[in-house]
């Protein structure tokens, strides 16, 4: 038992006798009570160990661990120092709201490991002390003998030693779209996980047949347990938005501190009192801190969440909204993401004729059977009907219409055969017309299934057989022509067609029949060795979604590279990639459009980084390799979105800049490791989400472009007054009034700004591009100095005209507000004019403008506001001058916007 861990990855390579000896097991009797108890104590319960994470309190406190929040807390402390308790309460209310929203949105991520644990809670049939027993899967230990049958969830990793028609669906673990037929033979030491047919893995599902195996690994040592460790170890990246906001906040923090210190130093050098200079520095800090920015970021992202939910994309973490807009590469799983996850017959050969089958999925009402080689009605071709009848009758599955859709109960491959038969008008009535009398079930060693049917004809009964092409052809001596007449078997021609189908990624099944005497009541393998008539071929595949094809094209037009990472077979993966447009659309080397897991494993990290960028499709990859690929692509500076639905996708989903899980077919593990869930499992929803993400980022930049001139302008007013040794035109409490009211009533209206036309025709932003580009910085600086000039001009004008200090300051405050109000219309687009956008296209802006103007009237004329903010009523002429200042700024910015656009700068 001590050698188990040393060879744990190679059970598939060992003879079963050696496996039994190493595990000190007993195939005939199973483990006894004492051995089982001892091993349970040694290896622990068959459950995934829950990783110890941060508690709720720590996770909540970490919501405050951001530079921008530090600035906001500092502004709250400053207002408390100034005894402006209302403003202090508002600021700390914003801080608390941000923390609560972030905590609720992100706390769900820690549930991913719990979901993995739930996937293993099941019961198992075990041989203990010579008796079959039903035990909780948690009680299994290495060396236990476990029995499997159709419908069972595999309770632990097993080395199979007895199988009968055993097929297991492993899509959630390996990405293999069709159930895998199992055997008990030996496989090479380096055989990929998906090709180890003598192994059954925990959390996969038995779809057909029976099998017996010996437990080789439990709990964390299973393949799904290793994925748990990968999820735990996978680093959760900061999003592009959080990285940029953090960098921006750090710079802002240092600038504010330096300017505040400079204010104190300059004032004292001019002979002013330290306390006065400290209060001036406080005023500067209050003016420069963008109190509304965290709330604006949160609300803008929340609006994006709401919009995406209407487009069937559920966001679990707020920053993921913007990350979608930054995405430069999408790494998509194949099965269930690009494809329907429903096997579909696409080509048929019968009677020497080739037929194509349209439609996809299990809906028999969508699509038809067509032939380019014949002019008469396809449904009336006897050879075609006989080939389809064989697939319908030699079949253990059922096709039913449930919950508004067509579902297969049984094997997906057989479901595809039922659907193709229905498209030719062959349905349940045929099954009733040809009742089944006996069955030779599918066995991996024979590679076929056969059924005996009563034909209602006293002259003969019929055997129908379906299976692997080689297994069927070797038993056939003749074939039928299009009109049903017998002809010599043309094996070479059939093999050529099979190769053509296989090259397209199709899984090919052959059909045959044999007439037997009417007295035949049962059949066996001896009845199927010779004299069969070859009926035809049916080639099937899990087809790509039609919406996925157009969505991939849209993403590529938007400058987003799309790559496929799948556990499925490379031929199938390449076929799907070609159909959806992944191959020959990327700047990839023609020599490596597809890279397999074994090939990938041989590459060093530096080689992988180079190869990953040049490869379109990765097939037969393991969960570790998916994770490694995402990391390699991120190393080149890409913002990577990873889509998937299986347990095997979860580590890469967590490590990617944004993980996208499928809501319908996706496992709970994948959903809870992801940042976004598609409720319709539709790749095309990603394109819509990317569009929304770009719109969200645009609106955030618009808000920052709008709000920073006010903060910088206010800071410049304070700094200029100190340097010139004049009275402050605006008081700290008045600055707070401007910042808090305009941010809420004017700035947040930009969060509702509709997406601009052509948003998906531009390339994605470079990952290292800062939030503020050169043009935006220039505009912020320009407007800041215009605000500075307007405030000092109006303040001086009013004082020279005999106004009181309170009236002059009220004029300066109103100038700031009016400029912000007009400038808001400039910021609805960073390039287009408001007239190009449509003046009424964002009613929130108009509503906010009216509300802000009414508030400013209250600030100016209500006695209570005059006392609180040291304001005073002003004349209509003053309003005319402040309005003129706002209009001048609006015109100047529109001219500057036009000049930047004409020169093509950014």
């Amino acid at each position: 038992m001590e050698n188990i861990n040393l060879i744990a990855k190679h059970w598939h390579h060992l003879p079963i006798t050696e496996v039994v000896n190493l595990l000190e097991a007993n195939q005939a009797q199973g483990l006894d009570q004492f051995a089982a108890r001892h091993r349970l104590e040694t290896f622990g319960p068959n459950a995934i160990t829950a990783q110890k994470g941060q508690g709720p309190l720590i996770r909540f406190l970490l919501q405050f661990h951001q530079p921008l929040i530090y600035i906001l807390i500092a502004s709250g402390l400053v207002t408390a120092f100034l005894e402006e308790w209302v403003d202090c309460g508002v600021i700390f209310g914003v801080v608390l709201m941000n923390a609560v929203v972030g905590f609720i949105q992100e706390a769900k991520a820690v549930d991913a490991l719990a979901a993995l644990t739930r996937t293993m809670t099941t019961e198992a049939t075990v041989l203990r002390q010579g008796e079959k027993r039903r035990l909780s899967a948690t009680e299994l230990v290495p060396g236990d003998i476990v029995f499997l049958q159709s419908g069972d969830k595999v309770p632990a990793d097993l080395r199979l030693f007895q199988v009968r028609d055993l097929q297991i669906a492993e899509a959630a673990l390996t990405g293999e779209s069709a159930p895998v037929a199992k055997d008990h033979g030996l496989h090479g030491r380096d055989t990929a996980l998906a090709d180890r047919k003598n192994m059954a893995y925990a959390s996969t599902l038995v779809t057909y047949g029976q099998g017996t195996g010996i437990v080789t690994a439990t709990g964390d040592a299973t393949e799904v347990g290793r994925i748990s460790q990968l999820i735990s170890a996978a680093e959760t990246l900061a999003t592009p938005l959080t990285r940029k906001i953090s960098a921006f906040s750090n710079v802002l923090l240092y600038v504010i501190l330096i300017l505040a210190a400079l204010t104190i130093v300059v004032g004292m050098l001019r002979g002013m009192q330290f306390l006065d200079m400290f209060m001036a520095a406080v005023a500067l800090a209050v003016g420069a801190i963008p109190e509304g920015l965290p709330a604006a970021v949160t609300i803008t992202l929340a609006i994006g969440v709401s919009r995406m939910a209407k487009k069937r994309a559920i966001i679990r973490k707020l920053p993921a909204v913007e990350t979608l807009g930054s995405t430069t590469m999408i790494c998509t799983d194949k099965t269930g993401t690009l494809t329907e996850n429903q096997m579909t017959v696409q080509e048929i050969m019968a009677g020497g004729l080739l037929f194509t089958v349209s439609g996809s999925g299990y809906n028999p009402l969508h699509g038809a059977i067509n032939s380019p080689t014949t002019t008469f009605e396809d449904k009336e071709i006897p050879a075609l009907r006989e080939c389809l009848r064989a697939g319908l009758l030699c079949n253990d599955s059922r096709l039913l219409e449930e919950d508004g859709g067509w579902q297969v109960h049984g094997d997906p491959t057989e479901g595809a055969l039922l659907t193709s038969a229905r498209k030719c008008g062959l349905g349940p009535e045929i099954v009733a017309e040809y009742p089944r009398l006996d069955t030779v079930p599918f066995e991996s060693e024979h590679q076929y299934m056969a059924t005996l049917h009563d034909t209602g004809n006293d002259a003969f009964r019929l055997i129908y057989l379906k299976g692997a092409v080689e297994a069927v052809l070797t038993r056939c001596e003749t074939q039928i022509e299009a009109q049903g007449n017998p002809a010599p078997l043309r094996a070479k021609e059939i093999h050529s067609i099979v190769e053509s189908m296989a090259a397209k990624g199709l899984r090919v099944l052959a059909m045959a029949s044999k007439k037997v005497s009417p007295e035949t009541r049962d059949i066996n393998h001896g009845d199927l060795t010779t004299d069969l008539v070859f009926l035809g071929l049916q080639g099937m595949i899990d087809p790509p979604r039609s919406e996925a094809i157009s969505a991939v094209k849209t993403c590529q037009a938007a400058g987003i590279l799309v790559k496929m990472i799948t556990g499925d077979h490379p031929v199938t993966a390449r076929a799907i990639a070609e159909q959806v447009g992944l191959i020959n659309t990327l700047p990839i080397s023609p020599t490596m459009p597809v890279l397999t897991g074994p090939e990938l494993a041989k590459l060093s990290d530096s080689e992988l980084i180079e190869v990953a960028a040049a490869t379109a499709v990765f097939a037969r990859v393991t969960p570790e390799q998916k994770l490694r690929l995402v990391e390699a692509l991120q190393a080149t500076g890409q913002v990577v979105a990873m889509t998937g639905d299986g347990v095997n996708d979860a580590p890469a989903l967590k490590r990617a800049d944004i993980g996208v899980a499928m809501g319908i077919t996706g496992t709970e593990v994948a959903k809870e490791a992801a940042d976004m869930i598609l409720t319709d499992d539709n790749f095309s929803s990603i394109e819509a989400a990317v569009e929304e993400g770009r719109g969200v980022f645009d609106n955030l930049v618009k808000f920052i472009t709008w709000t920073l001139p006010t903060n910088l302008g206010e800071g410049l007013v304070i700094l200029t007054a100190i340097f010139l040794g004049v009275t402050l035109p605006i008081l700290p409490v008045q600055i707070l009034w401007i910042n808090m009211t305009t941010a809420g009533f004017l700035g947040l209206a930009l969060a509702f700004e509709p997406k601009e036309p052509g948003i998906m025709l531009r390339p994605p932003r470079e990952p290292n591009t800062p939030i503020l580009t050169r043009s935006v910085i220039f505009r912020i600086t320009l407007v800041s100095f215009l605000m500075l000039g307007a405030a000092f001009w109006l303040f001086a004008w009013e004082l020279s005209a005999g106004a009181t200090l309170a009236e002059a300051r009220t004029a300066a405050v109103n100038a700031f507000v009016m400029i912000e109000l007009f400038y808001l219309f400039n910021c609805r687009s960073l390039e287009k004019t408001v007239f190009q956008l449509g003046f009424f296209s964002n009613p929130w802006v108009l509503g906010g403008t009216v509300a802000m103007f009414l508030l400013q009237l209250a600030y100016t004329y209500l006695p209570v506001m005059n006392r609180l903010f040291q304001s005073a009523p002003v004349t209509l002429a003053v309003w005319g001058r402040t309005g003129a200042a706002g209009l001048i700024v609006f015109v100047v910015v529109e001219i500057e916007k036009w000049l930047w656009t004409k020169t093509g700068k950014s």
Side-chain angles (χ1 to χ4, degrees):
M1 292 297 289
E2 65 273 9
N3 295 322
I4 287 179
N5 291 330
L6 298 177
I7 44 87
K9 293 184 178 180
H10 307 297
W11 294 112
H12 59 280
H13 180 59
L14 301 176
I16 190 62
T17 53
E18 188 173 343
V19 172
V20 171
N21 290 334
L22 284 169
L23 292 169
E24 299 175 9
N26 188 319
Q27 285 179 268
Q29 296 293 317
L31 298 176
D32 61 37
Q33 177 180 350
F34 300 105
R37 182 186 304 167
H38 174 70
R39 295 187 187 196
L40 189 61
E41 293 171 354
T42 302
F43 295 99
N46 179 32
I48 294 173
T49 304
Q51 300 295 320
K52 185 178 181 180
Q54 295 166 327
L57 178 61
I58 298 298
R59 294 203 310 271
F60 179 73
L61 292 177
L62 285 175
Q63 302 300 318
F64 301 94
H65 185 51
Q66 303 172 41
L68 202 61
I69 298 299
Y70 295 156
I71 296 175
L72 207 54
I73 292 173
S75 68
L77 293 174
V78 167
T79 55
F81 180 81
L82 295 172
E83 298 186 357
E84 298 296 336
W85 304 117
V86 173
D87 296 315
C88 177
V90 170
I91 293 173
F92 280 113
V94 170
V95 171
L96 187 61
M97 180 189 71
N98 279 306
V100 170
V101 170
F103 176 77
I104 292 173
Q105 287 290 335
E106 296 181 14
K108 296 179 182 178
V110 299
D111 293 336
L113 293 174
L116 268 169
T117 302
R118 289 196 296 272
T119 66
M120 294 190 65
T121 55
T122 183
E123 287 191 337
T125 303
V126 186
L127 184 66
R128 290 273 179 93
Q129 295 180 312
E131 297 179 357
K132 283 187 179 182
R133 302 178 184 177
R134 290 288 289 176
L135 299 177
S136 169
T138 59
E139 298 181 38
L140 292 183
V141 295
D144 263 327
I145 305 300
V146 175
F147 300 92
L148 301 175
Q149 61 182 7
S150 181
D152 285 349
K153 180 185 284 187
V154 180
D157 286 1
L158 309 176
R159 168 65 160 88
L160 301 170
F161 60 82
Q162 194 174 74
V163 297
R164 179 175 173 82
D165 320 325
L166 183 64
Q167 296 182 30
I168 299 179
E170 297 180 338
L173 183 65
T174 67
E176 180 73 55
S177 53
V180 178
K182 294 295 183 176
D183 59 37
H184 52 74
L186 293 181
H187 294 279
R189 183 184 182 90
D190 296 326
T191 303
L193 181 72
D195 295 323
R196 298 174 189 173
K197 296 185 178 180
N198 60 2
M199 298 292 296
Y201 293 108
S203 295
T204 58
L205 185 67
V206 178
T207 61
Y208 192 82
Q210 300 88 37
T212 309
I214 183 170
V215 174
T216 58
T218 59
D220 293 337
T222 63
E223 290 296 324
V224 75
R226 291 192 310 105
I227 292 175
S228 167
Q229 302 303 315
L230 288 174
I231 296 175
S232 177
E235 179 185 355
T236 302
L237 293 185
T239 69
L241 176 67
T242 56
R243 288 195 294 264
K244 289 172 183 176
I245 289 288
S246 178
F248 169 72
S249 301
N250 282 323
V251 171
L252 189 60
L253 179 61
Y254 291 128
V255 168
I256 290 172
L257 293 176
I258 290 171
L259 289 179
L262 185 63
T263 299
I264 295 175
V265 171
V266 170
M268 293 188 69
L269 289 175
R270 295 182 62 88
M272 298 182 181
Q273 295 294 320
F274 173 78
L275 184 58
D276 293 338
M277 287 304 94
F278 178 75
M279 293 304 296
V282 166
L284 174 65
V286 170
I289 293 172
E291 292 91 346
L293 183 55
V297 170
T298 300
I299 292 171
T300 303
L301 293 176
I303 291 168
V305 169
S306 176
R307 288 177 175 175
M308 289 184 184
K310 295 176 182 177
K311 297 187 176 182
R312 303 183 184 277
I314 304 300
I315 300 295
R316 296 184 65 246
K317 301 174 185 177
L318 280 181
V321 178
E322 183 275 335
T323 309
L324 277 165
S326 309
T327 299
T328 60
M329 180 175 292
I330 298 175
C331 294
T332 175
D333 186 36
K334 178 186 72 67
T335 307
T337 306
L338 287 175
T339 66
E340 298 276 3
N341 203 17
Q342 296 183 344
M343 294 297 287
T344 305
V345 173
Q346 290 191 336
E347 294 187 10
I348 300 172
M349 190 281 279
L353 302 176
L354 293 175
F355 302 86
T356 59
V357 185
S358 58
S360 62
Y362 297 134
N363 189 340
L365 305 179
H366 291 170
I369 299 175
N370 307 290
S371 172
T373 59
T374 181
T375 56
F376 49 89
E377 179 64 34
D378 294 332
K379 293 182 181 180
E380 301 306 319
I381 300 175
L384 174 63
R385 293 181 65 84
E386 194 64 16
C387 178
L388 293 171
R389 184 183 290 117
L392 173 67
L393 296 177
C394 189
N395 200 308
D396 285 331
S397 300
R398 293 184 299 155
L399 181 64
L400 302 173
E401 189 173 12
E402 297 176 337
D403 301 323
W406 290 84
Q407 306 293 331
V408 166
H409 290 249
D411 183 80
T413 300
E414 293 190 330
L417 298 175
L418 294 176
T419 304
S420 63
R422 286 280 191 99
K423 289 178 180 178
C424 194
L426 304 178
E429 70 283 353
I430 301 297
V431 177
E433 185 179 341
Y434 292 82
R436 185 187 297 190
L437 303 176
D438 195 21
T439 304
V440 174
F442 178 89
E443 293 179 355
S444 56
E445 59 185 294
H446 294 108
Q447 293 292 305
Y448 62 76
M449 171 185 176
T451 52
L452 173 66
H453 298 269
D454 189 356
T455 61
N457 187 324
D458 294 336
F460 61 89
R461 286 176 172 170
L462 269 177
I463 295 175
Y464 282 113
L465 181 142
K466 76 168 191 294
V469 175
E470 287 299 331
V472 174
L473 277 183
T474 57
R475 290 165 169 77
C476 297
E477 297 180 0
T478 59
Q479 68 180 65
I480 59 172
E481 299 287 9
Q483 294 302 315
N485 302 318
L489 182 69
R490 298 190 292 272
K492 187 175 181 179
E493 176 185 314
I494 294 169
H495 280 297
S496 175
I497 295 172
V498 170
E499 290 174 4
S500 174
M501 289 184 176
K504 300 172 186 175
L506 300 181
R507 180 184 182 188
V508 185
L509 291 182
M511 311 293 160
S513 67
K514 180 179 181 179
K515 292 181 180 179
V516 294
S517 70
E519 289 79 25
T520 304
R521 296 182 178 275
D522 52 55
I523 54 175
N524 54 48
H525 293 293
D527 300 315
L528 306 171
T529 54
T530 58
D531 297 331
L532 272 79
V533 179
F534 177 75
L535 302 178
L537 305 169
Q538 294 198 49
M540 63 191 70
I541 197 171
D542 178 15
R545 299 172 181 266
S546 58
E547 321 90 82
I549 297 173
S550 59
V552 166
K553 289 180 180 177
T554 303
C555 288
Q556 291 169 339
I560 301 171
L561 298 177
V562 183
K563 294 178 183 285
M564 179 194 295
I565 303 179
T566 179
D568 211 343
H569 194 278
V571 174
T572 306
R574 176 167 185 156
I576 295 297
E578 289 176 343
Q579 291 181 53
V580 299
L582 298 189
I583 292 181
N584 299 327
T585 58
L586 298 175
I588 60 174
S589 166
T591 59
M592 53 177 182
V594 180
L595 189 71
T596 65
E599 294 169 335
L600 190 153
K602 299 174 183 177
L603 300 176
S604 66
D605 289 344
S606 58
E607 290 172 331
L608 179 61
I609 290 172
E610 181 180 349
V611 170
T615 306
V617 178
F618 303 89
R620 279 289 190 255
V621 295
T622 66
E624 295 96 332
Q625 290 172 335
K626 286 190 177 188
L627 181 59
R628 192 175 170 220
L629 278 169
V630 170
E631 291 172 338
L633 293 169
Q634 288 172 332
T636 64
Q638 301 286 352
V639 177
V640 179
M642 170 72 186
T643 74
D645 59 356
V647 173
N648 60 330
D649 297 319
L653 288 175
K654 185 178 178 184
R655 180 63 173 80
D657 293 279
I658 178 165
V660 184
M662 304 297 111
I664 298 175
T665 59
T667 61
E668 284 301 310
V669 179
K671 292 176 190 176
E672 294 182 24
D675 303 289
M676 183 175 85
I677 300 170
L678 304 182
T679 60
D680 59 354
D681 284 17
N682 199 328
F683 184 88
S684 64
S685 296
I686 299 175
E687 180 269 321
V690 168
E691 186 175 349
E692 287 295 340
R694 290 187 173 189
V696 164
F697 185 81
D698 282 357
N699 289 348
L700 284 173
V701 173
K702 290 171 186 176
F703 177 84
I704 293 172
T705 305
W706 172 83
T707 194
L708 285 189
T710 302
N711 300 116
L712 183 56
E714 291 164 345
L716 287 172
V717 165
I718 302 298
L719 202 59
T720 302
I722 298 300
F723 271 74
L724 296 178
V726 299
T727 305
L728 292 178
I730 305 177
L731 296 173
V733 69
Q734 294 169 338
I735 289 175
L736 271 175
W737 166 264
I738 295 171
N739 290 356
M740 298 305 292
T741 55
T742 57
F745 288 92
L746 295 181
L748 287 183
L750 292 173
F752 297 91
E753 190 65 34
K755 298 183 295 293
E756 294 186 32
I759 198 170
M760 287 298 285
L761 296 178
R762 67 192 191 200
R765 299 186 313 279
E766 290 292 331
N768 57 355
T769 301
I771 293 179
L772 304 180
T773 59
R774 285 188 303 151
S775 61
V776 170
I777 292 173
F778 179 83
R779 189 170 303 163
I780 289 171
T781 305
L782 173 65
V783 176
S784 298
F785 278 97
L786 289 173
M787 285 182 165
L788 168 67
F792 264 97
W793 169 65
L794 282 167
F795 181 69
W797 179 291
E798 298 305 320
L799 287 178
S800 65
T804 65
L805 185 60
E807 290 171 339
R809 281 174 169 159
T810 301
V813 169
N814 286 347
F816 262 91
V817 172
M818 294 304 291
I819 290 173
E820 283 194 81
L821 194 150
F822 276 91
Y823 183 50
L824 181 69
F825 289 91
N826 295 122
C827 291
R828 288 191 56 202
S829 173
L830 300 181
E831 297 178 355
K832 298 180 176 63
T833 68
V834 67
F835 306 104
Q836 289 175 303
L837 295 176
F839 199 78
F840 299 100
S841 59
N842 186 353
W844 291 91
V845 169
L846 299 178
T849 299
V850 172
M852 189 64 232
F853 188 75
L854 293 175
L855 269 178
Q856 207 56 29
L857 288 176
Y859 168 88
T860 305
Y861 295 108
L862 287 181
V864 65
M865 302 295 280
N866 297 154
R867 289 194 300 272
L868 286 173
F869 295 100
Q870 301 180 43
S871 60
V874 296
T875 64
L876 188 61
V878 175
W879 284 106
R881 285 188 285 274
T882 58
L887 183 60
I888 290 170
V889 171
F890 174 81
V891 173
V892 170
V893 171
E894 286 300 310
I895 293 172
E896 178 267 344
K897 190 188 297 185
W898 178 79
L899 289 174
W900 275 94
T901 305
K902 290 292 287 184
T903 56
K905 297 178 181 178
S906 61

